[in-house]
Amino acid sequence: MTTDALKARRQELLDRMPDPAHVMRASLITRSIKCGKPNCRCTNGEGHKSLYLSSYYNGKTQLDSVPKAYKDKVSQSIKDYEDITALLAELSCINLELFRRREDDL
């Protein structure tokens, strides 16, 4: 790939970069919980389904309940993190190649 093509690709990646203001490194999981009430439908079924944000920091996994109103925002924050991570990996490869070519605008 030519140097100009590398620089153009780098700019394309930068233009596609999501705003990092709300990124989250986490996962959304659904848990089924039985409430313990003897007459509740969950005693014979799958339980009450709830959405949780699972994150791992400082050697600990944390689960945080996610209200339905936040599901889309949280999902987008997780997707943005994954997108940024992939874009940074490709940007790093491009910048490394530009460095090897001793390009001044690294």
Side-chain angles (χ1 to χ4, degrees):
M1 190 178 267
T2 68
T3 298
D4 287 340
L6 284 171
K7 290 177 181 179
R9 177 65 181 155
R10 180 173 64 181
Q11 190 58 52
E12 287 173 23
L13 296 173
L14 290 170
D15 292 342
R16 287 182 23 212
M17 188 75 66
D19 180 3
H22 301 286
V23 298
M24 283 193 268
R25 184 181 59 139
S27 300
L28 279 176
I29 61 170
T30 301
R31 295 181 65 193
S32 293
I33 300 171
K34 295 187 180 186
C35 66
K37 295 178 185 175
N39 295 328
C40 184
R41 64 176 173 81
C42 72
T43 57
N44 296 324
E46 295 180 16
H48 301 282
K49 293 188 187 273
S50 297
L51 190 63
Y52 287 87
L53 184 70
S54 175
S55 58
Y56 184 80
Y57 290 96
N58 298 324
K60 295 180 182 179
T61 299
Q62 289 187 248
L63 293 178
D64 295 288
S65 178
V66 178
K68 290 179 184 178
Y70 284 82
K71 179 183 177 186
D72 290 341
K73 286 182 180 182
V74 170
S75 293
Q76 188 62 52
S77 294
I78 293 168
K79 183 183 179 311
D80 287 350
Y81 174 82
E82 293 166 354
D83 291 348
I84 286 172
T85 302
L87 290 169
L88 285 175
E90 189 173 349
L91 281 167
S92 179
C93 290
I94 289 170
N95 287 333
L96 181 59
E97 181 58 29
L98 290 171
F99 167 75
R100 287 180 178 145
R101 294 179 187 190
R102 300 300 192 250
E103 285 300 312
D104 291 334
D105 70 340
L106 177 64

